Amino acid sequence: MTPRVSYIIPAYNAAATLGATLRSLLAQREDRWEAVVVDDGSRDGTASAAASVRDARVQVVRIPNSGPAVARERGWAVAQGEYVVFLDADDQVTPDHGARLLEAARGLDSAA
């Protein structure tokens, strides 16, 4: 199933916070999402923390340390969703985040 929402998460040395970010995505009511975690050359196990989330909607891309802008661009190049949301590796979303995003997008589509 093609995801509706792609969450792009640049992560540098974020092993301590990334798990909570991904758990907040797993709690979404809207289940047609993907998370693209871009490990930006971390040295603390960030990629392992992301890979430990056993959900096919979560993918990890590893790049040499290049900064958050490059990591976001790389994530966007990989993303398959209709809508893109950028999250930091210490952000969390509410369970209705994706559903509300899609509801707002539908409202914009019908207004056009």
Side-chain angles (χ1 to χ4, degrees), residues 18 22 37 45-55 58-60:
L18 185 58
L22 294 174
V37 177
T46 294
S48 296
S52 71
V53 176
R54 304 235 186 263
D55 191 298
V58 177
Q59 64 177 304
V60 181

Side-chain angles (χ1 to χ4, degrees), residues 4-7 83-85 96-107:
R4 297 285 316 274
V5 180
S6 294
Y7 291 95
Y83 301 98
V84 172
V85 176
D96 64 345
H97 182 270
R100 292 182 67 170
L101 172 77
L102 293 173
E103 182 179 309
R106 277 191 295 275

Side-chain angles (χ1 to χ4, degrees), residues 23-111:
R23 283 190 299 278
S24 77
L25 292 175
L26 292 170
Q28 291 291 297
R29 284 186 322 182
E30 168 60 52
D31 64 352
R32 293 172 298 168
W33 58 267
E34 69 174 344
V36 180
V37 177
V38 183
D39 179 4
D40 188 23
S42 298
R43 298 173 186 223
D44 72 342
T46 294
S48 296
S52 71
V53 176
R54 304 235 186 263
D55 191 298
R57 297 172 293 182
V58 177
Q59 64 177 304
V60 181
V61 176
R62 297 184 81 175
I63 63 171
N65 183 250
S66 304
V70 171
R72 285 183 186 97
E73 289 173 3
R74 179 62 191 267
W76 195 334
V78 172
Q80 299 292 311
E82 185 177 352
Y83 301 98
V84 172
V85 176
F86 294 108
L87 294 179
D88 290 331
D90 61 352
D91 289 344
Q92 295 179 37
V93 295
T94 60
D96 64 345
H97 182 270
R100 292 182 67 170
L101 172 77
L102 293 173
E103 182 179 309
R106 277 191 295 275
L108 291 174
D109 288 344
S110 66

